[in-house]
Amino acid sequence: VPRAVADGVIDMVPSAAAIDAELRALEEIARRRGAAVGILGGYPLTFQRLAAWIPTLRDKDLVLAPVSATVNRQPVR
């Protein structure tokens, strides 16, 4: 069965500092495992932080991809 599992909730704590910390945590997971999945509630602040974060990914050798790109790429836990 195809699967993708959330590695973190980006905006569980809806503050800029907490969202930025969660994005950094997802980056680390992606580096270690080859992919990371974050989910979000969709607060306006979340989209503001994502808009600031996305342009930084290229310099970090990371890409933003649809969750379908992570299907079956995560280790089974």
Side-chain angles (χ1 to χ4, degrees):
V1 174
R3 64 162 180 78
V5 179
D7 293 299
V9 179
I10 294 169
D11 55 3
M12 184 170 291
V13 177
S15 75
I19 291 167
D20 292 348
E22 187 63 33
L23 293 171
R24 285 190 303 273
L26 288 171
E27 290 175 10
E28 289 303 315
I29 292 167
R31 283 188 191 94
R32 282 195 321 268
R33 298 185 190 160
V37 175
I39 59 174
L40 55 90
Y43 300 106
L45 178 60
T46 308
F47 291 107
Q48 290 172 353
R49 300 313 308 146
L50 285 171
W53 175 72
I54 290 169
T56 71
L57 296 177
R58 179 184 294 217
D59 290 341
K60 299 172 186 176
D61 292 323
L62 296 170
V63 296
L64 185 64
V67 71
S68 60
T70 68
V71 169
N72 297 334
R73 292 201 52 199
Q74 298 165 295
V76 176
R77 296 182 211 162

